Amino acid sequence: RGRCTSYNKRMERKAQMSLARMVRGIASRRRFRAVLKKREYSSTKIQSIWRMKAAIILKKFHRRRRGTSTIIQKVVRGRRGRKKAILERDKYIFSRSQNTGIEM
């Protein structure tokens, strides 16, 4: 009878240790998952901030480029328009001179 009681106590102690080990493992895995989740959130946040900054820089670059191209277009169209106006004026003056009989 003494051996049986001793054996049962040993087995009970072993079961308690095993159960405690499992509980500690579960708790440890939960903490580890929380740390991983936090790391993932942090890295995602850093990436999104970096991408936002890069997008702002790119937007400024394109805006500046669009502004310069607009100025170039304005200059070219103005030059074309003045050239066309000079030609139209010369045609008008020539046609008026033909109608009035003035030699050019």
Side-chain angles (χ1 to χ4, degrees):
R1 210 154 187 179
R3 279 190 211 164
C4 193
T5 308
S6 173
Y7 177 75
N8 285 341
K9 282 185 181 177
R10 258 190 294 142
M11 289 296 119
E12 192 176 312
R13 180 78 179 135
K14 214 174 191 182
Q16 288 172 348
M17 287 171 51
S18 179
L19 186 63
R21 190 180 317 125
M22 284 192 287
V23 169
R24 280 195 311 269
I26 290 169
S28 177
R29 281 189 289 278
R30 272 193 191 145
R31 282 193 306 271
F32 183 71
R33 254 187 258 125
V35 168
L36 274 183
K37 199 172 185 179
K38 205 172 201 179
R39 278 186 189 170
E40 186 178 328
Y41 174 78
S42 299
S43 64
T44 305
K45 197 73 171 167
I46 290 169
Q47 284 177 356
S48 70
I49 290 171
W50 173 255
R51 288 180 183 146
M52 181 181 70
K53 191 79 172 160
I56 288 171
I57 290 170
L58 192 63
K59 185 175 104 180
K60 284 181 181 176
F61 170 75
H62 283 302
R63 188 175 284 166
R64 199 174 325 125
R65 200 166 117 206
R66 187 178 62 214
T68 53
S69 64
T70 306
I71 292 171
I72 291 170
Q73 285 174 357
K74 186 169 68 170
V75 168
V76 169
R77 288 176 181 160
R79 184 180 166 116
R80 262 194 225 146
R82 285 189 296 278
K83 208 178 212 183
K84 191 173 180 181
I86 290 170
L87 286 173
E88 289 293 323
R89 191 178 65 224
D90 287 345
K91 274 198 250 178
Y92 176 74
I93 291 173
F94 181 74
S95 70
R96 290 290 288 187
S97 67
Q98 290 295 318
N99 289 341
T100 57
I102 301 172
E103 292 287 325
M104 287 190 87

